[in-house]
Amino acid sequence: MKSRVCQALFFFLICVVAFAGCGANQSIDKEKENGNFKIVTSFYPMYVATINITNGIDGVEVKNMTKPQTGCLHDYQLTPADLKTLEKADAFIVNGAGMEAFLDKVVKQQEKLKIIDASKGIDLLKDGTEENPHVWVSITNAIQQVRNIEEQLIADDPKHAAQYKENADAYVTKLESLKREMHTAIDPLPNKNIVTFHEAFPYFAKEFNLNIVAVIEREPGSEPTPKDIEETVDKVKSLNVKALFAEPQYPEGAAQTISKESGAKVYTLDPVVTGDADETAADAYINAMKKNAQVLKEALQ
């Protein structure tokens, strides 16, 4: 009798332990069971493109992993909250091209997670041996990224294929109209030499035939030395550069110093890496680019 009681207690304990082990994943499993296709984006530019492609599709959810004011992800470190967000995702949309330095860690920890590379097939510009990941700042590349996201979402979630394609077509039509509008505004400008704040604008400059003669900060947060500033001032003067372009995401102290020394005026160009994650986000890229065209028109006349 005593032996049977012990056996029963042993069996009960095994069941309790097994149940506790399964409980760690229950919340995630329940979220998977609701049938929704959950998409996580790495940062704001990917979020903006994705909410346009998924607009109005029932059963598809989009969440941005980082805060919408995070900026470029050059040195971003994953947080426990980020990893928890990714555990619940069916697809993770990234810019790629080296922007998300943490991506290898994600792949190792989330082996079944589908990674959607928005920069797939885009020719990358190089600064020395390093590839520049800021591809979305070119409208042509932004269009290609929309198509890449569309194609890979259809492969991963074929149930919503027709809606993804319809939305992507509509957004690409808007981007193509934006591109024509900006060429009309920028192409006739007589001055093409500009100085930018950091390496966010080479693709933009290539698209609109602008000549970046100097970059104030090669890496965000790396303050230029007095020698760097002196060399930039000399370039600005020798090439008769009229405009320095800071970015709204960073302080413009160095740009103001160069402005005082050279006489060139400071303007703001937005690479659209930050913004609001609200009902206005879908138009954030288009609105920012239109404003950039207005700024260039004023600065380079």
Side-chain angles (χ1 to χ4, degrees):
M1 180 69 180
K2 187 175 180 181
S3 174
R4 289 180 181 177
V5 170
C6 290
Q7 287 178 350
L9 285 171
F10 180 70
F11 179 75
F12 175 75
L13 288 172
I14 289 175
C15 290
V16 169
V17 171
F19 180 78
C22 292
N25 294 318
Q26 274 189 344
S27 61
I28 294 172
D29 290 340
K30 284 180 180 178
E31 293 204 27
K32 295 283 188 182
E33 286 171 5
N34 67 13
N36 286 357
F37 189 78
K38 295 178 176 60
I39 301 168
V40 173
T41 56
S42 60
F43 74 138
Y44 196 66
M46 297 303 98
Y47 176 74
V48 172
T50 302
I51 62 173
N52 277 282
I53 298 168
T54 60
N55 180 42
I57 303 179
D58 291 334
V60 175
E61 300 175 13
V62 180
K63 181 176 182 179
N64 198 42
M65 185 185 75
T66 54
K67 294 179 180 179
Q69 302 298 332
T70 299
C72 288
L73 303 178
H74 298 289
D75 300 311
Y76 186 80
Q77 298 294 317
L78 286 173
T79 68
D82 294 336
L83 293 172
K84 188 174 180 180
T85 296
L86 291 173
E87 282 180 357
K88 301 172 185 176
D90 295 296
F92 184 33
I93 298 178
V94 300
N95 178 77
M99 175 59 72
E100 294 87 355
F102 53 78
L103 198 55
D104 286 346
K105 184 176 181 180
V106 172
V107 171
K108 287 179 182 178
Q109 295 198 14
Q110 308 285 342
E111 293 181 357
K112 295 182 180 180
L113 179 62
K114 298 289 186 181
I115 306 294
I116 294 179
D117 182 355
S119 296
K120 179 181 177 182
I122 293 176
D123 292 332
L124 301 179
L125 299 177
K126 290 186 178 182
D127 178 20
T129 59
E130 292 187 10
E131 293 175 330
N132 190 314
H134 303 83
V135 295
W136 71 90
V137 189
S138 154
I139 301 174
T140 298
N141 289 342
I143 290 170
Q144 182 60 52
Q145 288 193 305
V146 169
R147 290 306 189 191
N148 284 338
I149 295 169
E150 171 205 357
E151 177 187 336
Q152 292 172 73
L153 279 178
I154 287 173
D156 294 336
D157 182 30
K159 181 172 67 174
H160 298 109
Q163 292 161 295
Y164 288 139
K165 184 180 187 312
E166 182 180 356
N167 284 342
D169 287 348
Y171 190 46
V172 165
T173 297
K174 291 181 180 179
L175 291 174
E176 288 174 341
S177 176
L178 171 69
K179 182 179 173 181
R180 290 191 297 270
E181 180 182 329
M182 290 186 68
H183 271 292
T184 299
I186 297 170
D187 288 353
L189 297 176
N191 299 310
K192 299 292 185 179
N193 292 332
I194 64 173
V195 173
T196 60
F197 191 83
H198 88 280
E199 289 285 7
F201 287 96
Y203 294 97
F204 182 92
K206 181 180 179 182
E207 178 140 52
F208 295 106
N209 297 310
L210 301 173
N211 179 30
I212 299 176
V213 301
V215 178
I216 296 172
E217 291 186 11
R218 286 286 169 181
E219 291 293 334
S222 61
E223 287 290 330
T225 65
K227 184 180 178 182
D228 292 334
I229 291 177
E230 183 181 350
E231 289 176 352
T232 301
V233 169
D234 290 342
K235 280 185 181 179
V236 169
K237 288 180 176 179
S238 65
L239 295 171
N240 196 28
V241 175
K242 300 296 184 183
L244 311 175
F245 293 97
E247 298 170 32
Q249 293 82 16
Y250 302 104
E252 55 181 53
Q256 291 291 354
T257 300
I258 295 168
S259 174
K260 290 177 183 177
E261 295 292 329
S262 67
K265 187 176 178 180
V266 178
Y267 297 86
T268 300
L269 283 182
D270 189 352
V272 208
V273 293
T274 58
D276 296 319
D278 57 20
E279 65 277 1
T280 67
D283 295 323
Y285 181 85
I286 289 175
N287 290 340
M289 283 296 176
K290 285 184 176 181
K291 188 173 181 180
N292 285 340
Q294 293 171 356
V295 169
L296 285 166
K297 193 171 181 180
E298 176 187 348
L300 301 179
Q301 283 286 8

Short mmCIF file of all heavy atoms in Angstrom, two decimals, residues 76-137:
data_model
loop_
_atom_site.label_atom_id
_atom_site.label_comp_id
_atom_site.label_asym_id
_atom_site.label_seq_id
_atom_site.Cartn_x
_atom_site.Cartn_y
_atom_site.Cartn_z
N TYR A 76 23.47 49.54 -32.27
CA TYR A 76 22.34 49.18 -31.41
C TYR A 76 22.57 47.83 -30.74
O TYR A 76 23.02 46.87 -31.37
CB TYR A 76 21.05 49.14 -32.22
CG TYR A 76 19.82 48.92 -31.37
CD1 TYR A 76 19.24 49.98 -30.67
CD2 TYR A 76 19.26 47.66 -31.24
CE1 TYR A 76 18.11 49.78 -29.88
CE2 TYR A 76 18.14 47.45 -30.45
CZ TYR A 76 17.57 48.52 -29.78
OH TYR A 76 16.46 48.33 -28.99
N GLN A 77 22.27 47.76 -29.44
CA GLN A 77 22.39 46.52 -28.68
C GLN A 77 20.99 45.97 -28.38
O GLN A 77 20.13 46.70 -27.86
CB GLN A 77 23.14 46.76 -27.37
CG GLN A 77 24.56 47.27 -27.55
CD GLN A 77 25.46 46.23 -28.20
OE1 GLN A 77 25.40 45.05 -27.85
NE2 GLN A 77 26.31 46.67 -29.12
N LEU A 78 20.76 44.72 -28.71
CA LEU A 78 19.47 44.10 -28.42
C LEU A 78 19.20 44.09 -26.91
O LEU A 78 20.10 43.85 -26.11
CB LEU A 78 19.44 42.67 -28.94
CG LEU A 78 19.31 42.47 -30.44
CD1 LEU A 78 19.48 40.99 -30.78
CD2 LEU A 78 17.99 42.98 -30.97
N THR A 79 17.94 44.32 -26.55
CA THR A 79 17.52 44.27 -25.16
C THR A 79 16.70 43.00 -24.93
O THR A 79 16.20 42.39 -25.88
CB THR A 79 16.67 45.49 -24.80
OG1 THR A 79 15.41 45.40 -25.51
CG2 THR A 79 17.36 46.79 -25.17
N PRO A 80 16.54 42.58 -23.66
CA PRO A 80 15.66 41.43 -23.39
C PRO A 80 14.25 41.65 -23.94
O PRO A 80 13.61 40.71 -24.42
CB PRO A 80 15.67 41.36 -21.86
CG PRO A 80 16.99 41.91 -21.47
CD PRO A 80 17.25 43.03 -22.45
N ALA A 81 13.77 42.90 -23.89
CA ALA A 81 12.44 43.19 -24.42
C ALA A 81 12.39 42.97 -25.93
O ALA A 81 11.38 42.49 -26.48
CB ALA A 81 12.05 44.63 -24.09
N ASP A 82 13.48 43.31 -26.64
CA ASP A 82 13.55 43.09 -28.09
C ASP A 82 13.44 41.59 -28.40
O ASP A 82 12.70 41.18 -29.30
CB ASP A 82 14.86 43.62 -28.67
CG ASP A 82 14.99 45.12 -28.56
OD1 ASP A 82 13.95 45.80 -28.48
OD2 ASP A 82 16.14 45.62 -28.56
N LEU A 83 14.20 40.79 -27.66
CA LEU A 83 14.19 39.34 -27.90
C LEU A 83 12.82 38.75 -27.61
O LEU A 83 12.35 37.85 -28.31
CB LEU A 83 15.26 38.67 -27.04
CG LEU A 83 16.71 39.02 -27.42
CD1 LEU A 83 17.69 38.47 -26.40
CD2 LEU A 83 17.04 38.50 -28.82
N LYS A 84 12.14 39.27 -26.58
CA LYS A 84 10.79 38.81 -26.27
C LYS A 84 9.83 39.16 -27.40
O LYS A 84 8.96 38.36 -27.77
CB LYS A 84 10.32 39.44 -24.95
CG LYS A 84 9.00 38.87 -24.44
CD LYS A 84 8.67 39.43 -23.07
CE LYS A 84 7.35 38.86 -22.55
NZ LYS A 84 7.01 39.40 -21.22
N THR A 85 9.99 40.37 -27.95
CA THR A 85 9.16 40.78 -29.09
C THR A 85 9.37 39.86 -30.28
O THR A 85 8.42 39.43 -30.94
CB THR A 85 9.49 42.23 -29.50
OG1 THR A 85 9.15 43.11 -28.42
CG2 THR A 85 8.73 42.65 -30.75
N LEU A 86 10.62 39.51 -30.55
CA LEU A 86 10.95 38.67 -31.70
C LEU A 86 10.47 37.23 -31.51
O LEU A 86 10.17 36.53 -32.49
CB LEU A 86 12.45 38.69 -31.96
CG LEU A 86 12.99 40.02 -32.48
CD1 LEU A 86 14.52 40.00 -32.54
CD2 LEU A 86 12.43 40.35 -33.86
N GLU A 87 10.37 36.77 -30.26
CA GLU A 87 9.87 35.42 -29.99
C GLU A 87 8.44 35.25 -30.50
O GLU A 87 8.04 34.15 -30.87
CB GLU A 87 9.91 35.13 -28.48
CG GLU A 87 11.29 34.79 -27.95
CD GLU A 87 11.28 34.52 -26.46
OE1 GLU A 87 10.19 34.68 -25.85
OE2 GLU A 87 12.32 34.17 -25.90
N LYS A 88 7.69 36.34 -30.50
CA LYS A 88 6.28 36.28 -30.90
C LYS A 88 6.07 36.55 -32.39
O LYS A 88 4.95 36.55 -32.87
CB LYS A 88 5.49 37.30 -30.08
CG LYS A 88 5.56 37.08 -28.58
CD LYS A 88 4.92 38.23 -27.82
CE LYS A 88 5.12 38.08 -26.32
NZ LYS A 88 4.57 39.24 -25.56
N ALA A 89 7.16 36.82 -33.11
CA ALA A 89 7.04 37.24 -34.51
C ALA A 89 7.06 36.05 -35.46
O ALA A 89 7.70 35.03 -35.21
CB ALA A 89 8.19 38.19 -34.85
N ASP A 90 6.36 36.23 -36.58
CA ASP A 90 6.44 35.28 -37.69
C ASP A 90 7.48 35.73 -38.71
O ASP A 90 8.06 34.90 -39.42
CB ASP A 90 5.07 35.15 -38.37
CG ASP A 90 4.03 34.54 -37.45
OD1 ASP A 90 4.21 33.37 -37.07
OD2 ASP A 90 3.07 35.24 -37.09
N ALA A 91 7.70 37.04 -38.81
CA ALA A 91 8.69 37.57 -39.76
C ALA A 91 9.33 38.82 -39.17
O ALA A 91 8.67 39.61 -38.49
CB ALA A 91 8.02 37.90 -41.09
N PHE A 92 10.61 38.96 -39.44
CA PHE A 92 11.37 40.13 -38.96
C PHE A 92 11.92 40.84 -40.18
O PHE A 92 12.74 40.31 -40.92
CB PHE A 92 12.52 39.66 -38.05
CG PHE A 92 13.32 40.77 -37.43
CD1 PHE A 92 12.74 41.98 -37.07
CD2 PHE A 92 14.68 40.58 -37.16
CE1 PHE A 92 13.48 43.00 -36.48
CE2 PHE A 92 15.43 41.58 -36.56
CZ PHE A 92 14.82 42.79 -36.22
N ILE A 93 11.42 42.07 -40.43
CA ILE A 93 11.83 42.83 -41.61
C ILE A 93 12.97 43.76 -41.23
O ILE A 93 12.82 44.62 -40.36
CB ILE A 93 10.65 43.63 -42.19
CG1 ILE A 93 9.56 42.65 -42.64
CG2 ILE A 93 11.10 44.51 -43.34
CD1 ILE A 93 8.31 43.32 -43.17
N VAL A 94 14.10 43.59 -41.90
CA VAL A 94 15.30 44.39 -41.61
C VAL A 94 15.73 45.14 -42.86
O VAL A 94 15.44 44.73 -43.98
CB VAL A 94 16.45 43.50 -41.10
CG1 VAL A 94 16.06 42.78 -39.83
CG2 VAL A 94 16.91 42.50 -42.17
N ASN A 95 16.44 46.23 -42.65
CA ASN A 95 17.02 46.95 -43.78
C ASN A 95 18.10 46.11 -44.45
O ASN A 95 18.20 46.06 -45.67
CB ASN A 95 17.63 48.27 -43.29
CG ASN A 95 18.30 49.06 -44.40
OD1 ASN A 95 17.64 49.69 -45.22
ND2 ASN A 95 19.63 49.01 -44.46
N GLY A 96 18.92 45.44 -43.63
CA GLY A 96 20.02 44.66 -44.18
C GLY A 96 21.18 45.56 -44.58
O GLY A 96 21.29 46.69 -44.12
N ALA A 97 22.06 45.05 -45.43
CA ALA A 97 23.24 45.79 -45.91
C ALA A 97 24.18 46.16 -44.77
O ALA A 97 24.95 47.10 -44.88
CB ALA A 97 22.82 47.04 -46.69
N GLY A 98 24.06 45.45 -43.64
CA GLY A 98 24.93 45.72 -42.51
C GLY A 98 24.38 46.70 -41.50
O GLY A 98 25.05 47.00 -40.51
N MET A 99 23.19 47.23 -41.72
CA MET A 99 22.63 48.20 -40.77
C MET A 99 22.40 47.57 -39.40
O MET A 99 22.71 48.15 -38.37
CB MET A 99 21.32 48.77 -41.33
CG MET A 99 20.58 49.71 -40.37
SD MET A 99 21.56 51.13 -39.86
CE MET A 99 21.58 52.10 -41.38
N GLU A 100 21.83 46.35 -39.38
CA GLU A 100 21.53 45.68 -38.13
C GLU A 100 22.70 44.76 -37.75
O GLU A 100 22.71 43.57 -38.10
CB GLU A 100 20.23 44.87 -38.24
CG GLU A 100 18.99 45.72 -38.45
CD GLU A 100 18.68 46.05 -39.92
OE1 GLU A 100 19.50 45.68 -40.78
OE2 GLU A 100 17.64 46.65 -40.19
N ALA A 101 23.66 45.32 -37.04
CA ALA A 101 24.86 44.56 -36.69
C ALA A 101 24.54 43.39 -35.77
O ALA A 101 25.33 42.45 -35.66
CB ALA A 101 25.89 45.48 -36.03
N PHE A 102 23.38 43.44 -35.13
CA PHE A 102 22.98 42.40 -34.17
C PHE A 102 22.28 41.23 -34.84
O PHE A 102 21.85 40.28 -34.16
CB PHE A 102 22.03 43.00 -33.13
CG PHE A 102 20.85 43.72 -33.74
CD1 PHE A 102 19.76 43.02 -34.24
CD2 PHE A 102 20.83 45.10 -33.83
CE1 PHE A 102 18.68 43.67 -34.80
CE2 PHE A 102 19.75 45.77 -34.38
CZ PHE A 102 18.67 45.04 -34.87
N LEU A 103 22.16 41.22 -36.15
CA LEU A 103 21.32 40.25 -36.84
C LEU A 103 21.79 38.81 -36.64
O LEU A 103 20.97 37.90 -36.50
CB LEU A 103 21.26 40.58 -38.34
CG LEU A 103 20.11 39.94 -39.12
CD1 LEU A 103 18.77 40.28 -38.48
CD2 LEU A 103 20.13 40.43 -40.57
N ASP A 104 23.10 38.59 -36.60
CA ASP A 104 23.62 37.24 -36.38
C ASP A 104 23.12 36.66 -35.06
O ASP A 104 22.80 35.47 -34.96
CB ASP A 104 25.14 37.24 -36.41
CG ASP A 104 25.71 37.41 -37.81
OD1 ASP A 104 24.92 37.26 -38.77
OD2 ASP A 104 26.90 37.71 -37.95
N LYS A 105 23.06 37.51 -34.05
CA LYS A 105 22.58 37.08 -32.73
C LYS A 105 21.12 36.66 -32.81
O LYS A 105 20.71 35.66 -32.21
CB LYS A 105 22.76 38.20 -31.71
CG LYS A 105 22.37 37.81 -30.29
CD LYS A 105 22.67 38.94 -29.31
CE LYS A 105 22.29 38.54 -27.89
NZ LYS A 105 22.58 39.64 -26.92
N VAL A 106 20.32 37.42 -33.56
CA VAL A 106 18.90 37.09 -33.72
C VAL A 106 18.75 35.74 -34.42
O VAL A 106 17.97 34.88 -34.00
CB VAL A 106 18.17 38.18 -34.53
CG1 VAL A 106 16.75 37.74 -34.86
CG2 VAL A 106 18.14 39.49 -33.75
N VAL A 107 19.52 35.55 -35.48
CA VAL A 107 19.43 34.30 -36.25
C VAL A 107 19.79 33.10 -35.38
O VAL A 107 19.14 32.04 -35.45
CB VAL A 107 20.36 34.37 -37.49
CG1 VAL A 107 20.45 33.01 -38.17
CG2 VAL A 107 19.87 35.43 -38.47
N LYS A 108 20.80 33.24 -34.53
CA LYS A 108 21.21 32.14 -33.66
C LYS A 108 20.17 31.83 -32.60
O LYS A 108 19.93 30.66 -32.28
CB LYS A 108 22.55 32.50 -32.98
CG LYS A 108 23.75 32.44 -33.91
CD LYS A 108 25.03 32.83 -33.18
CE LYS A 108 26.23 32.82 -34.12
NZ LYS A 108 27.47 33.25 -33.43
N GLN A 109 19.53 32.87 -32.06
CA GLN A 109 18.58 32.65 -30.97
C GLN A 109 17.18 32.34 -31.45
O GLN A 109 16.38 31.75 -30.72
CB GLN A 109 18.56 33.88 -30.06
CG GLN A 109 19.88 34.12 -29.35
CD GLN A 109 19.74 35.04 -28.15
OE1 GLN A 109 18.65 35.32 -27.69
NE2 GLN A 109 20.87 35.52 -27.64
N GLN A 110 16.86 32.76 -32.68
CA GLN A 110 15.51 32.54 -33.22
C GLN A 110 15.65 31.83 -34.57
O GLN A 110 15.40 32.41 -35.63
CB GLN A 110 14.77 33.87 -33.39
CG GLN A 110 14.74 34.75 -32.17
CD GLN A 110 13.76 34.25 -31.12
OE1 GLN A 110 12.88 33.46 -31.42
NE2 GLN A 110 13.92 34.71 -29.90
N GLU A 111 16.01 30.56 -34.54
CA GLU A 111 16.35 29.84 -35.76
C GLU A 111 15.16 29.71 -36.73
O GLU A 111 15.35 29.63 -37.94
CB GLU A 111 16.89 28.45 -35.41
CG GLU A 111 18.23 28.48 -34.69
CD GLU A 111 18.75 27.09 -34.38
OE1 GLU A 111 18.03 26.12 -34.68
OE2 GLU A 111 19.87 27.00 -33.84
N LYS A 112 13.95 29.68 -36.21
CA LYS A 112 12.77 29.49 -37.06
C LYS A 112 12.17 30.82 -37.56
O LYS A 112 11.25 30.81 -38.37
CB LYS A 112 11.70 28.72 -36.30
CG LYS A 112 12.12 27.29 -35.95
CD LYS A 112 11.00 26.55 -35.23
CE LYS A 112 11.42 25.13 -34.90
NZ LYS A 112 10.34 24.39 -34.19
N LEU A 113 12.70 31.93 -37.07
CA LEU A 113 12.16 33.23 -37.46
C LEU A 113 12.55 33.57 -38.90
O LEU A 113 13.71 33.47 -39.28
CB LEU A 113 12.72 34.31 -36.52
CG LEU A 113 12.28 35.76 -36.79
CD1 LEU A 113 10.78 35.92 -36.65
CD2 LEU A 113 13.01 36.71 -35.83
N LYS A 114 11.56 33.97 -39.69
CA LYS A 114 11.81 34.37 -41.08
C LYS A 114 12.40 35.78 -41.09
O LYS A 114 11.79 36.72 -40.57
CB LYS A 114 10.51 34.36 -41.88
CG LYS A 114 9.85 32.98 -41.98
CD LYS A 114 10.64 32.05 -42.88
CE LYS A 114 9.88 30.74 -43.07
NZ LYS A 114 10.63 29.79 -43.92
N ILE A 115 13.58 35.93 -41.68
CA ILE A 115 14.22 37.24 -41.82
C ILE A 115 13.96 37.76 -43.22
O ILE A 115 14.30 37.10 -44.21
CB ILE A 115 15.74 37.16 -41.57
CG1 ILE A 115 16.04 36.50 -40.22
CG2 ILE A 115 16.35 38.54 -41.65
CD1 ILE A 115 15.61 37.27 -39.02
N ILE A 116 13.35 38.93 -43.32
CA ILE A 116 13.08 39.55 -44.62
C ILE A 116 14.07 40.69 -44.82
O ILE A 116 14.05 41.68 -44.10
CB ILE A 116 11.63 40.07 -44.70
CG1 ILE A 116 10.66 38.87 -44.66
CG2 ILE A 116 11.41 40.93 -45.94
CD1 ILE A 116 9.19 39.26 -44.72
N ASP A 117 14.95 40.52 -45.80
CA ASP A 117 16.02 41.48 -46.09
C ASP A 117 15.52 42.47 -47.15
O ASP A 117 15.39 42.13 -48.32
CB ASP A 117 17.26 40.74 -46.58
CG ASP A 117 18.43 41.67 -46.87
OD1 ASP A 117 18.26 42.90 -46.79
OD2 ASP A 117 19.52 41.16 -47.19
N ALA A 118 15.27 43.70 -46.72
CA ALA A 118 14.70 44.70 -47.63
C ALA A 118 15.70 45.21 -48.65
O ALA A 118 15.30 45.82 -49.65
CB ALA A 118 14.13 45.87 -46.83
N SER A 119 17.00 45.00 -48.43
CA SER A 119 18.02 45.52 -49.35
C SER A 119 18.52 44.46 -50.33
O SER A 119 19.51 44.69 -51.02
CB SER A 119 19.20 46.09 -48.56
OG SER A 119 18.79 47.19 -47.80
N LYS A 120 17.83 43.35 -50.39
CA LYS A 120 18.23 42.25 -51.27
C LYS A 120 18.36 42.73 -52.72
O LYS A 120 17.45 43.33 -53.28
CB LYS A 120 17.18 41.14 -51.18
CG LYS A 120 17.45 39.94 -52.05
CD LYS A 120 16.30 38.94 -51.89
CE LYS A 120 16.49 37.74 -52.81
NZ LYS A 120 15.33 36.79 -52.70
N GLY A 121 19.54 42.49 -53.32
CA GLY A 121 19.75 42.81 -54.73
C GLY A 121 20.08 44.26 -55.04
O GLY A 121 20.30 44.60 -56.20
N ILE A 122 20.13 45.13 -54.04
CA ILE A 122 20.45 46.54 -54.27
C ILE A 122 21.97 46.71 -54.31
O ILE A 122 22.69 46.20 -53.46
CB ILE A 122 19.84 47.43 -53.16
CG1 ILE A 122 18.31 47.40 -53.26
CG2 ILE A 122 20.35 48.87 -53.28
CD1 ILE A 122 17.61 48.19 -52.15
N ASP A 123 22.46 47.41 -55.33
CA ASP A 123 23.89 47.69 -55.43
C ASP A 123 24.30 48.66 -54.34
O ASP A 123 23.75 49.76 -54.23
CB ASP A 123 24.24 48.28 -56.80
CG ASP A 123 24.06 47.27 -57.93
OD1 ASP A 123 24.21 46.06 -57.65
OD2 ASP A 123 23.79 47.68 -59.07
N LEU A 124 25.26 48.27 -53.54
CA LEU A 124 25.66 49.07 -52.38
C LEU A 124 26.86 49.95 -52.71
O LEU A 124 27.81 49.52 -53.38
CB LEU A 124 26.01 48.17 -51.20
CG LEU A 124 24.88 47.24 -50.71
CD1 LEU A 124 25.37 46.38 -49.55
CD2 LEU A 124 23.65 48.04 -50.30
N LEU A 125 26.79 51.19 -52.24
CA LEU A 125 27.91 52.11 -52.37
C LEU A 125 28.90 51.83 -51.23
O LEU A 125 28.52 51.37 -50.16
CB LEU A 125 27.43 53.56 -52.29
CG LEU A 125 26.44 54.00 -53.38
CD1 LEU A 125 25.99 55.44 -53.12
CD2 LEU A 125 27.06 53.89 -54.76
N LYS A 126 30.16 52.13 -51.48
CA LYS A 126 31.20 51.88 -50.48
C LYS A 126 31.91 53.16 -50.10
O LYS A 126 32.14 54.02 -50.94
CB LYS A 126 32.21 50.86 -50.99
CG LYS A 126 31.67 49.44 -51.10
CD LYS A 126 32.76 48.46 -51.48
CE LYS A 126 32.24 47.04 -51.53
NZ LYS A 126 33.31 46.07 -51.87
N ASP A 127 32.26 53.24 -48.81
CA ASP A 127 33.15 54.28 -48.32
C ASP A 127 34.44 53.56 -47.93
O ASP A 127 34.54 53.02 -46.84
CB ASP A 127 32.53 54.99 -47.12
CG ASP A 127 33.45 56.06 -46.54
OD1 ASP A 127 34.36 56.49 -47.26
OD2 ASP A 127 33.27 56.43 -45.36
N GLY A 128 35.39 53.55 -48.84
CA GLY A 128 36.57 52.72 -48.65
C GLY A 128 36.18 51.27 -48.84
O GLY A 128 35.68 50.88 -49.90
N THR A 129 36.34 50.46 -47.80
CA THR A 129 35.96 49.05 -47.89
C THR A 129 34.61 48.77 -47.25
O THR A 129 34.09 47.66 -47.37
CB THR A 129 37.03 48.18 -47.17
OG1 THR A 129 37.13 48.58 -45.80
CG2 THR A 129 38.38 48.32 -47.85
N GLU A 130 34.04 49.77 -46.59
CA GLU A 130 32.77 49.58 -45.89
C GLU A 130 31.57 49.92 -46.78
O GLU A 130 31.55 50.96 -47.42
CB GLU A 130 32.72 50.42 -44.62
CG GLU A 130 33.69 49.97 -43.54
CD GLU A 130 33.49 50.73 -42.24
OE1 GLU A 130 32.48 51.45 -42.13
OE2 GLU A 130 34.33 50.58 -41.35
N GLU A 131 30.60 49.03 -46.78
CA GLU A 131 29.38 49.26 -47.55
C GLU A 131 28.44 50.18 -46.78
O GLU A 131 28.29 50.06 -45.57
CB GLU A 131 28.70 47.93 -47.87
CG GLU A 131 29.52 47.07 -48.82
CD GLU A 131 28.91 45.71 -49.05
OE1 GLU A 131 28.24 45.19 -48.13
OE2 GLU A 131 29.12 45.15 -50.13
N ASN A 132 27.82 51.09 -47.50
CA ASN A 132 26.91 52.05 -46.88
C ASN A 132 25.50 51.45 -46.85
O ASN A 132 24.95 51.11 -47.89
CB ASN A 132 26.91 53.35 -47.68
CG ASN A 132 26.17 54.47 -46.98
OD1 ASN A 132 25.08 54.28 -46.47
ND2 ASN A 132 26.78 55.65 -46.95
N PRO A 133 24.89 51.34 -45.66
CA PRO A 133 23.57 50.70 -45.57
C PRO A 133 22.37 51.62 -45.72
O PRO A 133 21.23 51.17 -45.70
CB PRO A 133 23.59 50.11 -44.15
CG PRO A 133 24.40 51.10 -43.37
CD PRO A 133 25.45 51.62 -44.32
N HIS A 134 22.59 52.94 -45.92
CA HIS A 134 21.48 53.90 -45.92
C HIS A 134 20.74 53.93 -47.28
O HIS A 134 20.49 55.00 -47.84
CB HIS A 134 22.00 55.30 -45.58
CG HIS A 134 22.71 55.38 -44.27
ND1 HIS A 134 24.03 55.05 -44.12
CD2 HIS A 134 22.26 55.76 -43.04
CE1 HIS A 134 24.38 55.23 -42.85
NE2 HIS A 134 23.33 55.65 -42.18
N VAL A 135 20.38 52.78 -47.76
CA VAL A 135 19.86 52.67 -49.12
C VAL A 135 18.49 53.33 -49.30
O VAL A 135 18.16 53.82 -50.38
CB VAL A 135 19.79 51.19 -49.57
CG1 VAL A 135 21.18 50.59 -49.65
CG2 VAL A 135 18.92 50.37 -48.64
N TRP A 136 17.66 53.33 -48.25
CA TRP A 136 16.28 53.84 -48.36
C TRP A 136 16.22 55.34 -48.66
O TRP A 136 15.18 55.84 -49.08
CB TRP A 136 15.52 53.55 -47.07
CG TRP A 136 15.97 54.37 -45.91
CD1 TRP A 136 15.48 55.60 -45.54
CD2 TRP A 136 17.04 54.09 -45.01
NE1 TRP A 136 16.18 56.08 -44.45
CE2 TRP A 136 17.14 55.17 -44.11
CE3 TRP A 136 17.93 53.02 -44.87
CZ2 TRP A 136 18.08 55.22 -43.09
CZ3 TRP A 136 18.86 53.06 -43.85
CH2 TRP A 136 18.94 54.15 -42.98
N VAL A 137 17.32 56.07 -48.45
CA VAL A 137 17.30 57.52 -48.67
C VAL A 137 17.23 57.84 -50.15
O VAL A 137 16.88 58.95 -50.54
CB VAL A 137 18.51 58.19 -47.98
CG1 VAL A 137 18.38 59.71 -48.00
CG2 VAL A 137 18.61 57.73 -46.52
#
